[in-house]
């Protein structure tokens, strides 16, 4: 149990908690920004093309239930924009890391598979056995003479 608390203390002291907290707060602020962008800019433009002034009021009534398609579409657009921006951020961070290290992951050779390793071992064994068998046949031929 002591090792559990020691591990937790090291985790908190390492700064990972602060990094996660900052990322969480920034993510929430960014999500609010994207939601405002979608609700206040994109959805009115889409509403013009669909003939509805307020896209959030695009609702189907089935009996007492309300199916809020406008709200769902708005949330979907917000999600797609968020995913796209995160994709661009990760792609740019990977490119910056690649430029900083000078390594190109596409240029690096992949580790050999188990089959390739076994085939190379087999080839080495065959090479070792081939000269020995030639020496033996040569020795046998000399003895026969």
């Amino acid at each position: 149990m002591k090792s559990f608390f020691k591990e937790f203390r090291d985790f908190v002291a390492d700064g990972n908690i602060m990094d996660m907290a900052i990322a969480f707060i920034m993510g929430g602020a960014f999500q609010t920004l994207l939601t405002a962008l979608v609700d206040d800019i994109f959805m009115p433009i889409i509403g013009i093309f669909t003939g509805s002034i307020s896209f959030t009021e695009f609702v189907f009534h089935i009996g007492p239930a309300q199916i809020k398609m406008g709200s769902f579409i708005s949330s979907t657009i917000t999600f797609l924009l968020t995913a796209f921006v995160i994709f661009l951020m990760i792609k740019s961070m990977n490119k910056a890391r690649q430029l900083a290290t000078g390594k190109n992951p596409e240029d690096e050779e992949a580790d050999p598979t188990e089959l390739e390793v076994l085939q190379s071992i087999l080839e080495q064994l065959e090479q070792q056995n081939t000269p020995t068998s030639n020496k033996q046949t040569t020795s046998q031929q000399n003895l026969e003479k």
Side-chain angles (χ1 to χ4, degrees):
M1 192 66 152
K2 285 184 180 182
S3 65
F4 175 78
F5 287 116
K6 181 183 181 306
E7 186 177 349
F8 179 71
R9 185 191 71 213
D10 293 341
F11 173 74
V12 171
D14 192 26
N16 291 336
I17 294 273
M18 290 306 295
D19 292 342
M20 288 185 339
I22 290 169
F24 184 75
I25 292 168
M26 292 299 295
F30 183 70
Q31 187 67 31
T32 303
L33 176 70
L34 281 181
T35 301
L37 176 72
V38 170
D39 290 344
D40 299 335
I41 296 175
F42 289 157
M43 295 317 283
I45 293 171
I46 292 173
I48 291 170
F49 293 113
T50 60
S52 171
I53 299 301
S54 176
F55 200 77
T56 56
E57 294 176 8
F58 183 55
V59 178
F60 290 118
H61 294 281
I62 300 175
Q66 292 182 346
I67 300 174
K68 300 178 181 181
M69 287 300 295
S71 177
F72 174 73
I73 292 171
S74 175
S75 296
T76 302
I77 292 172
T78 302
F79 168 77
L80 291 174
L81 278 175
T82 304
F84 181 69
V85 169
I86 290 172
F87 168 75
L88 291 177
M89 288 172 58
I90 290 173
K91 188 170 177 71
S92 63
M93 287 178 63
N94 287 341
K95 185 70 171 177
R97 186 177 296 130
Q98 173 187 347
L99 291 174
T101 60
K103 293 181 181 178
N104 189 356
E106 296 171 357
D107 292 342
E108 294 180 9
E109 292 183 21
D111 291 336
T113 63
E114 185 177 342
L115 179 62
E116 292 170 342
V117 171
L118 291 174
Q119 286 175 340
S120 68
I121 292 171
L122 180 62
E123 289 172 5
Q124 290 175 359
L125 288 173
E126 287 175 350
Q127 289 174 357
Q128 288 176 355
N129 289 337
T130 303
T132 307
S133 62
N134 285 342
K135 288 179 185 176
Q136 288 175 352
T137 55
T138 308
S139 306
Q140 288 174 355
Q141 290 173 351
N142 288 338
L143 289 175
E144 292 174 1
K145 290 182 184 179

